[in-house]
Amino acid sequence: MTQLASRPAAAPGTSGPAPLRTAPMTPQTVLSRTVRYVLLSLISVVVLTPFAWMALSSLKRNNEVFTAPITWFPDEWQWHNYIDIWTKADMSTWLGNTIFLSVTVTALQVLTGSFAAYGFSRIRFPGRDALFLVYIGTIAVPWQAYMIPQFKLLSEVGLADTRLSIILLQAFSAFGVFLMKQFYDTVPEELSESARIDGLTEFGIYRRIMLPLSVPSISALAILTFTNTWNDYMGPLIYLRSPDLWTIQLGLKTFIGQYNADYAAIMTGSVLSVLPIAVVFALGQKYFVQGIASSGLKG
Amino acid sequence: MPNFLGFVLLTLGPVLALFYIAFTKWSAFGSPQFTGLENFERLIGDKIFWTSFGNTLYYSAIHIPVTFVVSLSLALLLNEKMRGRAFFRSAAFFPYFTSIVAVAQVWNMLFSPEFGPVNQLLRFIGLENTPDWVASSTWAMPAVIIVGIWRDAGYFMLLFLAGLQSINPELHEAAKMDGANWLERIFNVTIPGLRPTMFFVTVMLTINSFKVLDLILVMTGGGPGNSTLVLSQYIYRMGFERNDFGYASTISVVLFALCMVVTIIQFAYNRRAEK
């Protein structure tokens, strides 16, 4: 994506005919380019239509949502849907819980993940490689296969139906360790070697050299973890029974069950659950790409 | 190392415990009692288990190849420099990062039999007997699969794009010099160079399909009837709705074994093909 931004020929935002390029365009390239754009535009429409429908329906009167033929835009924009929902549903509790959990989990994951990854990457200890393999191996084991014993364990120690259960569940994933280790492995050993000679402690090397270098990777990990925790449905579903602990996903699902004919309100709630992630996504898009590209793993 | 402790306690421990609990009888009250192979005998005679097993394979048999082809095609289309590339890429992987509850709800409405936009579109292009989608036991699974592909394709596209970056551009230039057209270059340069990524994507996509749970739970809840009940959901149902933890763990072992066996086969096949 950086290549695109640094390309001088494609000035963003220019409309009208494409600027003439130095290389002559054969009819074939024109055709293939047109086909490509048509195809991609079609795909984008298919992919994005559900979101457009969601946003537009959230601003309609309830009986306007399903009509034949389809009407895309509301007769009158029902902005008050976005005010009513706060009294219909316990949105503020759900959002509060979700924000608390996402922020805490992200902070912990970044802290412990990068620390453990540093250990795997830089500190030699017996059985290190075997241990790392076990870490990676468990990424291939679906969580669904061990959610039962995990739940029994956490309820045995009295953590079921607490916020702490979700934090523990999400904060120590092997994923973060893997992503950060991939990065630390690319930093040349000589860098820490010379710092060691200059008298820096192992922790000093980590804090003064590795941490500043790893800002992009840490951002990627933070954004992915935040999104993951925000969107997690299964964890809260299993662990959080009391309504005052519910997250937005769980709350929204219950709300859908209660108001199953109130389509507009359901869509309003859905928009509110997607909106924060859409903002994070827009701001940190390149970190998403980087995080996934360098680890290839999520969820 | 707190991460290590957390990992051992919350992941490794439960995985190992699974293999003991699977051989026990453990209900909501009391402690597990070892019952040997009893759970596995029950499993073999359990019709609903086989339904969920079959449905998991049904979902995977379509979801894996179609998502693979769609995401690879998207990556190939979006690898070359072009205007609006960043926009198209973001559009493609946005669904993966949005709340599954909201997304499933929107699709359920879009798929609504009578006034749903999907069926209105189908009628518009001349189809008379439009399917009832999630309200019909025949069409619920295809509906879930469509949403699954829609959601996952962009994510796997990113993996392919990362793989495409590692192919030496000089190879392409050389092939161009030799007069190879776009399609020929795809088949003779890109695809061979993408082999490791393709392998990785296949492994991830397979596990991803075998373990599918939240999408089904929020979209259909396994219904109508048991027509979209999958293995993970059967685990959930037995464990958390019926509190039959022993038997739920037995089903978990099946899911675990399914993922492991297929992954090992894929690794073995990949190694042989590399030689």
Side-chain angles (χ1 to χ4, degrees), chain B residues 1-18:
Chain B
M1 277 189 151
N3 184 287
F4 178 66
L5 262 176
F7 169 75
V8 168
L9 282 177
L10 294 163
T11 306
L12 205 55
V15 170
L16 296 177
L18 175 73

Side-chain angles (χ1 to χ4, degrees), chain A residues 144 231-234, chain B residues 100-101 104 151 211-221 230 232:
Chain A
Q144 284 81 344
N231 286 336
D232 184 25
Y233 174 65
M234 289 313 299
Chain B
I100 195 134
V101 178
R151 191 170 157 78
K211 73 177 185 188
V212 63
L213 175 58
D214 45 6
L215 174 66
I216 291 196
L217 219 49
V218 292
M219 230 183 124
T220 65
V230 288
S232 300

Side-chain angles (χ1 to χ4, degrees), chain A residues 36-37 67 135 150 249 285, chain B residues 3 10 83 90 99 120:
Chain A
R36 186 189 296 256
Y37 272 108
T67 51
Y135 253 82
Q150 195 182 49
Q249 306 304 331
Q285 215 231 78
Chain B
N3 184 287
L10 294 163
R83 205 173 293 180
S90 313
S99 141
Q120 290 204 43

Side-chain angles (χ1 to χ4, degrees), chain B residues 68-145:
Chain B
F68 187 93
V69 171
V70 171
S71 53
L72 178 57
S73 317
L74 276 173
L76 290 174
L77 279 173
L78 285 169
N79 191 42
E80 274 165 57
K81 281 177 190 162
M82 59 189 287
R83 205 173 293 180
R85 181 169 75 163
F87 167 78
F88 287 126
R89 281 184 178 182
S90 313
F93 68 78
F94 186 57
Y96 192 79
F97 293 104
T98 46
S99 141
I100 195 134
V101 178
V103 151
Q105 190 52 37
V106 174
W107 276 100
N108 270 348
M109 288 189 181
L110 293 175
F111 276 134
S112 145
E114 209 169 330
F115 295 114
V118 171
N119 274 356
Q120 290 204 43
L121 181 76
L122 290 179
R123 272 181 228 121
F124 179 74
I125 59 170
L127 251 89
E128 290 291 327
N129 292 316
T130 51
D132 281 349
W133 299 111
V134 285
S136 125
S137 51
T138 323
W139 285 98
M141 189 56 107
V144 171
I145 294 173

Side-chain angles (χ1 to χ4, degrees), chain B residues 2-269:
Chain B
N3 184 287
F4 178 66
L5 262 176
F7 169 75
V8 168
L9 282 177
L10 294 163
T11 306
L12 205 55
V15 170
L16 296 177
L18 175 73
F19 286 92
Y20 173 68
I21 303 171
F23 293 96
T24 64
K25 194 174 165 68
W26 193 5
S27 60
F29 311 101
S31 50
Q33 281 173 323
F34 190 77
T35 52
L37 288 172
E38 209 173 276
N39 284 343
F40 286 88
E41 278 164 27
R42 177 175 163 199
L43 197 70
I44 289 166
D46 184 351
K47 269 199 190 130
I48 301 175
F49 163 72
W50 289 110
T51 307
S52 70
F53 191 80
N55 284 340
T56 306
L57 295 185
Y58 176 13
Y59 178 87
S60 308
I62 299 174
H63 183 258
I64 298 171
V66 178
T67 308
F68 187 93
V69 171
V70 171
S71 53
L72 178 57
S73 317
L74 276 173
L76 290 174
L77 279 173
L78 285 169
N79 191 42
E80 274 165 57
K81 281 177 190 162
M82 59 189 287
R83 205 173 293 180
R85 181 169 75 163
F87 167 78
F88 287 126
R89 281 184 178 182
S90 313
F93 68 78
F94 186 57
Y96 192 79
F97 293 104
T98 46
S99 141
I100 195 134
V101 178
V103 151
Q105 190 52 37
V106 174
W107 276 100
N108 270 348
M109 288 189 181
L110 293 175
F111 276 134
S112 145
E114 209 169 330
F115 295 114
V118 171
N119 274 356
Q120 290 204 43
L121 181 76
L122 290 179
R123 272 181 228 121
F124 179 74
I125 59 170
L127 251 89
E128 290 291 327
N129 292 316
T130 51
D132 281 349
W133 299 111
V134 285
S136 125
S137 51
T138 323
W139 285 98
M141 189 56 107
V144 171
I145 294 173
I146 290 171
V147 179
I149 295 165
W150 170 82
R151 191 170 157 78
D152 294 339
Y155 169 67
F156 290 103
M157 171 198 80
L158 282 184
L159 297 190
F160 277 126
L161 279 171
L164 286 170
Q165 297 298 313
S166 64
I167 296 173
N168 186 349
E170 281 169 26
L171 285 175
H172 269 280
E173 283 310 312
K176 222 182 219 171
M177 292 291 197
D178 291 345
N181 64 33
W182 189 72
L183 213 61
E184 282 168 346
R185 272 179 283 139
I186 294 271
F187 278 102
N188 297 320
V189 180
T190 313
I191 303 275
L194 214 51
R195 263 201 52 96
T197 315
M198 285 176 150
F199 168 66
F200 182 66
V201 167
T202 313
V203 172
M204 295 305 293
L205 192 51
T206 309
I207 296 172
N208 175 300
S209 304
F210 284 161
K211 73 177 185 188
V212 63
L213 175 58
D214 45 6
L215 174 66
I216 291 196
L217 219 49
V218 292
M219 230 183 124
T220 65
N226 284 327
S227 59
T228 52
L229 180 76
V230 288
L231 274 178
S232 300
Q233 199 201 342
Y234 199 42
I235 299 172
Y236 176 81
R237 185 184 286 182
M238 280 300 159
F240 297 114
E241 287 171 10
R242 309 255 170 95
N243 291 323
D244 192 346
F245 298 110
Y247 190 50
S249 298
T250 313
I251 310 164
S252 306
V253 168
V254 174
L255 176 66
F256 180 88
L258 187 67
C259 290
M260 284 301 123
V261 167
V262 173
T263 307
I264 289 168
I265 292 174
Q266 285 169 339
F267 266 95
Y269 180 80

